[in-house]
Every structure is written in C-alpha cells, then in structure tokens.
Amino acid sequence: MPQPSDASATPEASLIRHPGVASFIGSRSLSGLAYQMQTVAVGWQIYELTRSPLALGLVGLAQFLPMVVLAFLSGHVVDRFDRRRIAAICQILAGLGALVFAFASFRHVVTPGLIYALVAFLGAVRAFEGPSLQALLPGLVPPALFSRAAALSSSLFQTVTIIGPSVGGLLYGVGAGFVYTVVAAIFAGAAVSLLLVRQRQPARPREKVSLATVFGGLVFIRSRPEIMGAISLDLFAVLLGGATAMLPLYAHDILHAGPWGLGILRGAPAVGALTVSAWLARRPIKRHAGLLMFAAVAVFGAATIVFGLSTWLPLSAGALVVLGAADVVSVVVRSTLVQLRTPDNMRGRVAAVNLLFIGTSNQLGEFRSGSLAAVMGPVAAVVLGGVGTILVAGLWMRLFPPLRHLQRLDEDVA
C-alpha cells in the first residue's frame, strides 16, 4: 500500500516535527501562561491594597526600569553564550520570585513596596529571557518557514494568554498565595521543556566587550529603515494606546465585576490574537505587509477608544478582542522582519533592543496610562491614548516609506 505523502500534512504538523520546535513552543507557552496568571494576581492585589490607578502604573514602571538598565548587556550575553540555558535559568529564577510572592501572601505580609521590588526582579529576569527565546526560534526552522513558525508560536502563546488570565482570576478566589504557587510550578515546567531543545549551536565569534559590540543591535536597527519603522511604530502605538494597566480599575469600578471579570478582560485580547495568528499560520502575509501593519495599528487605536468609552462588560471584552486581533498582525510583521533580516551572531542584541522597545511600550505605557488616569480620569486617559495611536499610524506612513511599500516578509533575508 502506498504511504501517505508528507504533502498532505498540515503546515502546523510539519513545523512541529522540526527538531526542538515542539519543546521550544511548549516552554514559551508555559512561561507565557505563568506570566499571565501572575499579572492578574499582582494587578488585583496591588489595587486591593491601594485603590490607586497610579499604583497600577507604578507596577509597569517597576518592570520597565530593569529592562532599560540591562537591555544592551543582556543582548550581548545572549550572543556569547548558550541561549537555551540562559532562558531556562531565567524561568527558574522567575519561579523562585513567584514562590516569594506566595510566601508573603500566605503570611499576609504583602505591601506595595514588596510588590514593586518583586516585579522589578522579574523585569530583570525577563530582560534576559526575552532575547534568548526570540533568538532561538530562527535556528530551529528554515527561513522560508519562519513566518509560519512565528504565527504558530504566537497562536499557541495566545491560547495560553486566554487561559492564563481566566485561570489566574478564578484561582485568586482561593487566594493570591495559591495563584503564585501554581505559577512557580508552571515556570519549572517551562524550564524543563526548554532544556529538552536540542539545537545545534552555530559557531559565533566571541567578540570583545566594547561599546561598539554592546550597542551593535541599535546600530543595526537604525541602518534598516523598515525594521526601525516597524519597531518604533509598535513602540509609540502601544505606549499611547495601551490600556491594560487600567483593566483592574475598569473591572472593579466601571464594569463592577470581580476578579473573574478581570480575567475575562485580560484574556479577551488573546481571543482575537489567537484567531488571527491561527489564520496567519496557514495563510502567511504575501503582499502589502507594510500597509496591513499600518491598518492594524489604526484599528488597534479605534478599539482602544471603544473600550475606553464602554460601561458594558460584553462590549468592553469585544473591543479588546478586536484590539488583540489587530495587535497580532503588527507582532507577526515586526517579529518576522527582525528575525529574518538579522544575522545570527547579532540576533541576541537586536532582540534585546526590540524587547526594550516592546517593554517601553508595554510597561512604560502602563505607567503613562496610570499616572494620566490619576490626573484626568481613566476614561479620558484611555480614549486620548487611542486617538494618539491612530495619529501615530498616519505619521509613520509618511516617515517610513520603505515600511509602507513593504510587500513580502521573507525577501532580502540576511
């Protein structure tokens, strides 16, 4: 009897069979699940302690500052040493941080200062874990399949991003300490899964540490206008339009829902992101990639405005679903550009700069929205951010013509 042809296999199944891909995606998904559960617990806990939108913003600032300090150093470390082991060590350290959270919660000694300190520690850990994971995937699949692999990894990551906030919100009903204990166990599983990756490490020159090598990633990005445009567009769009820091306040004070409502809001963007990323895994972007990215950012801003004005939980969740769907288009375009057009010996440093921009937009964006909400109210702060995002999309179309004219993502591979 003739054997079934490999051509009949789905693209997802073919990718999973590449050595190490399943273990890598499993580790990234588990790590994402743990972070999402912990984010819900931290957000609800700090708001219960302070009832202050500024405190929610300070959580984002505490995560952001270590990333700024360590970003360029971490990229250099990732390009010199085993990326797999660096990421696994980071996941173990994140698990230990979760255990400290659990101990303090069980003993009822949690204070805002302790939360800020632990969140800052986790920010430092993620400054090394993020570039390590980003730089690993391109070495596991051929360049022609990378766009599909990025979309598949994103779709599975978004699945746990849906599950994580909901599970975190439900478990918080049992107790914050219980949530953090489960989070620590999941981080341990992520580290084990990553250590199962058997990637043949390419020979990379051990460059001497200097200002030129440490800041090499930034210099490379500045030399590629399409990459610079994509990264900076995401930076300013999420910095202005990000409303995630306000979710505990919206769930508690505006939508009058409990931790379960916060879990729904946290998971809603991932529902949209999962749908679109699953579609892109089967049908990768082949034309008008740049224009699609600009359109997605504009939709992201419009969805932010709707969320900011909504006082009905289903409409708020629906707006966040659209927001997540638009955001994943930008994520896939940006990550594919960064990874495929960067030489392997620089991927750690470029990934570190990329994640610094992402951290700036996410964590500093949380601080911006929290501090602005403390001055002018949460609704005005969120709506103003959405308007700003739309304006940024229009401005960047004029400032970065190479990104606007970008067609395929797999051309001009470095």
Side-chain angles (χ1 to χ4, degrees), residues 35-357:
Y35 278 119
Q36 289 296 324
M37 292 174 62
Q38 186 164 266
T39 297
V40 169
V42 167
W44 196 263
Q45 200 169 35
I46 191 71
Y47 194 66
E48 278 190 327
L49 289 171
T50 65
R51 290 292 191 271
S52 167
L54 180 59
L56 293 171
L58 288 174
V59 169
L61 184 63
Q63 287 180 293
F64 168 70
L65 291 178
M67 295 179 66
V68 174
V69 174
L70 297 171
F72 296 104
L73 174 63
S74 67
H76 193 81
V77 169
V78 169
D79 280 338
R80 286 175 62 91
F81 301 103
D82 188 332
R83 295 162 178 170
R84 178 179 56 93
R85 291 185 179 181
I86 293 171
I89 290 171
C90 290
Q91 290 165 348
I92 292 171
L93 291 175
L96 293 175
L99 287 178
V100 176
F101 264 125
F103 177 80
S105 298
F106 283 129
R107 296 295 299 270
H108 304 288
V109 294
V110 176
T111 64
L114 177 62
I115 290 177
Y116 298 142
L118 287 173
V119 167
F121 169 74
L122 293 173
V125 169
R126 295 193 75 176
F128 288 86
E129 183 198 13
S132 301
L133 290 177
Q134 275 204 11
L136 267 176
L137 184 58
L140 298 177
V141 295
L145 293 178
F146 182 80
S147 181
R148 289 184 187 273
L152 175 61
S153 177
S154 178
S155 65
L156 295 176
F157 180 79
Q158 297 301 338
T159 300
V160 301
T161 305
I162 296 169
I163 297 171
S166 302
V167 173
L170 290 173
L171 293 182
Y172 196 92
V174 179
F178 186 69
V179 178
Y180 295 129
T181 302
V182 174
V183 165
I186 294 174
F187 273 126
V192 171
S193 180
L194 191 60
L195 291 173
L196 294 175
V197 174
R198 293 290 180 261
Q199 182 189 28
R200 185 177 180 181
Q201 296 291 322
R204 294 193 297 268
R206 293 292 184 89
E207 301 174 273
K208 292 183 179 180
V209 179
S210 66
L211 288 177
T213 58
V214 169
F215 292 97
L218 184 60
V219 173
F220 177 83
I221 288 173
R222 289 185 61 186
S223 71
R224 304 300 293 264
E226 72 280 9
I227 296 179
M228 184 66 184
I231 293 178
S232 58
L233 173 63
D234 182 80
L235 163 67
F236 286 102
V238 179
L239 177 63
L240 294 172
T244 55
M246 295 295 99
L247 294 186
L249 185 153
Y250 265 80
H252 191 281
D253 295 345
I254 295 177
L255 302 174
H256 306 293
W260 66 272
L262 176 59
I264 290 174
L265 294 178
R266 282 283 184 189
V271 174
L274 172 62
T275 303
V276 173
S277 56
W279 172 267
L280 292 177
R282 290 181 172 272
R283 298 178 180 272
I285 297 172
K286 295 182 178 180
R287 291 188 305 166
H288 309 306
L291 288 176
L292 284 173
M293 184 177 188
F294 285 116
V297 171
V299 171
F300 180 94
T304 300
I305 294 171
V306 173
F307 171 77
L309 295 173
S310 172
T311 58
W312 185 41
L313 181 59
L315 177 59
S316 299
L320 292 175
V321 169
V322 174
L323 181 149
D327 184 52
V328 82
V329 175
S330 174
V331 168
V332 169
V333 172
R334 185 188 69 247
S335 63
T336 304
L337 277 175
V338 169
Q339 297 297 346
L340 287 189
R341 304 191 181 196
T342 303
D344 181 75
N345 67 325
M346 290 193 65
R347 281 190 174 127
R349 282 166 286 177
V350 171
V353 176
N354 183 32
L355 289 173
L356 175 61
F357 276 57

